[in-house]
Amino acid sequence: MAIAERVKVVEVGPRDGLQNEKQFVPTEVKIELINRLSAAGFQNVEAASFVSPKWVPQMADGADVMAAIERRPGTIYSVLTPNLKGFEGALAAGADEVVIFGAASEAFSQRNINCSIAESIERFAPVAQAAKDAGLRLRASISCSLGCPYEGEIAPAAVADVVKRMLALGCHEIDIADTIGVGTPRKVTAVMNAVSAVADPAMLSAHFHDTYGMALANILAALEAGIAIVHSSAAGLGGCPYAKGATGNVATEDVLYMLHGMDIDTGIDLDQVISTGQWISDYLQRANASRAGKAIITKRQAA
């Protein structure tokens, strides 16, 4: 299948990236991160999470963040909403898209949200209906689509089954997520072919972590399978609190370097993202996990 000439890159750093930082990141820093990313040209930024502060204290200031960001026309600002209470918060905060999350693994579903896959989908039905009534976009993220820390291999048919259930809820977009980063290109091809048989590939996205250094190769396999939406996180921020040892999301800078090098249009300014990735890494006093970002920062300093 021909690779798309334009790919939508969804920036998940402000939510998925920051949620696992142990020290609370000040609200104004989150706001500046989102504003910098918006200015770089992203069509979609995952900005906040309306979950219980007891479970994810880092995201307790979601309403304040959403109230203060500079909204770029044409950019979708997404928020995570696990239940109706979260949805109501998201609606009040002016979210453009709400995100629900399930798993392709029964064991992971039980460990993560204390219920079966079927029960989790049932729980999301009121949120999906509320989003439809409010005219908001609804996105679903399917964890462990390429492997599970408890079950190991996940059958492509199992992922396709969850996609069908999410479609029945009325989702506009569905993320195929490699939560622990164990996928390899052939597995990605098999899973993307399976899910594309039950859903329009245009509404499917690749959300890959880079635990084993496979994320870019896996993204290429997804592109070759007809996927044209990719998730990434500036400077490779993030991980998974429920998957021991899983490292961060693939770095946005690395994804953009690859896509732009393939003459694929993203509408995003790579240099601005590189500066932003280095800025947030410096602020958090952590190493920048983007190889392309570090290489280009080094060239800038030498110039």
Side-chain angles (χ1 to χ4, degrees):
M1 190 178 289
I3 292 175
E5 292 180 5
R6 183 175 177 87
V7 166
K8 180 170 93 167
V9 179
V10 179
E11 173 56 53
V12 302
R15 199 283 301 174
D16 197 19
L18 292 182
Q19 74 172 8
N20 295 317
E21 290 297 320
K22 289 181 174 60
Q23 297 299 316
F24 186 76
V25 178
T27 305
E28 59 269 22
V29 173
K30 292 171 181 161
I31 292 163
E32 183 171 350
L33 176 61
I34 293 167
N35 288 345
R36 282 173 174 247
L37 293 165
S38 294
F42 286 91
Q43 284 178 262
N44 194 329
V45 177
E46 202 169 273
S49 181
F50 284 79
V51 299
S52 168
K54 183 175 81 170
W55 296 112
V56 189
Q58 186 65 257
M59 295 285 114
D61 57 352
D64 295 332
V65 169
M66 292 296 286
I69 57 174
E70 295 167 16
R71 299 190 184 223
R72 176 177 168 265
T75 295
I76 294 166
Y77 295 92
S78 310
V79 302
L80 202 69
T81 52
N83 50 37
L84 268 180
K85 186 179 179 185
F87 174 80
E88 284 156 11
L91 185 64
D96 301 304
E97 177 180 72
V98 294
V99 184
I100 57 177
F101 49 94
S105 154
E106 286 290 352
F108 192 83
S109 185
Q110 291 288 355
R111 300 278 189 108
N112 190 0
I113 50 178
N114 304 311
C115 66
S116 69
I117 293 171
E119 287 168 335
S120 72
I121 306 288
E122 211 172 283
R123 286 183 188 180
F124 290 130
V127 177
Q129 187 59 50
K132 186 177 179 181
D133 293 344
L136 288 188
R137 279 175 56 90
L138 178 67
R139 173 155 63 85
S141 189
I142 303 176
S143 307
C144 296
S145 291
L146 286 146
C148 170
Y150 313 115
E151 283 184 35
E153 292 282 330
I154 298 294
V159 186
D161 181 63
V162 182
V163 168
K164 281 193 282 190
R165 293 170 189 239
M166 292 300 192
L167 279 175
L169 289 179
C171 291
H172 297 87
E173 214 165 279
I174 300 173
D175 314 332
I176 307 304
D178 185 7
T179 312
I180 54 172
V182 294
T184 52
R186 280 190 176 173
K187 284 183 188 173
V188 170
T189 301
V191 169
M192 291 307 186
N193 286 344
V195 296
S196 294
V198 298
D200 181 353
M203 65 188 297
L204 300 170
S205 66
H207 179 116
F208 297 153
H209 285 217
D210 203 29
T211 316
Y212 292 87
M214 291 284 105
L216 287 178
N218 289 343
I219 287 169
L220 181 57
L223 295 174
E224 289 173 340
I227 306 304
I229 308 170
V230 174
H231 290 203
S232 59
S233 178
L237 296 175
C240 176
Y242 303 101
K244 196 174 181 183
T247 50
N249 296 285
V250 63
T252 303
E253 299 91 322
D254 298 353
V255 173
L256 293 175
Y257 182 83
M258 180 178 82
L259 294 177
H260 294 177
M262 294 168 67
D263 293 324
I264 293 171
D265 180 26
T266 64
I268 298 163
D269 186 322
L270 172 58
D271 283 332
Q272 279 187 253
V273 179
I274 287 168
S275 297
T276 299
Q278 191 58 50
W279 166 77
I280 193 64
S281 297
D282 290 344
Y283 179 83
L284 297 171
Q285 297 184 313
R286 55 172 283 169
N288 186 338
S290 165
R291 291 181 180 182
K294 286 188 292 188
I296 292 170
I297 289 284
T298 302
K299 279 174 72 175
R300 283 183 192 172
Q301 291 167 341

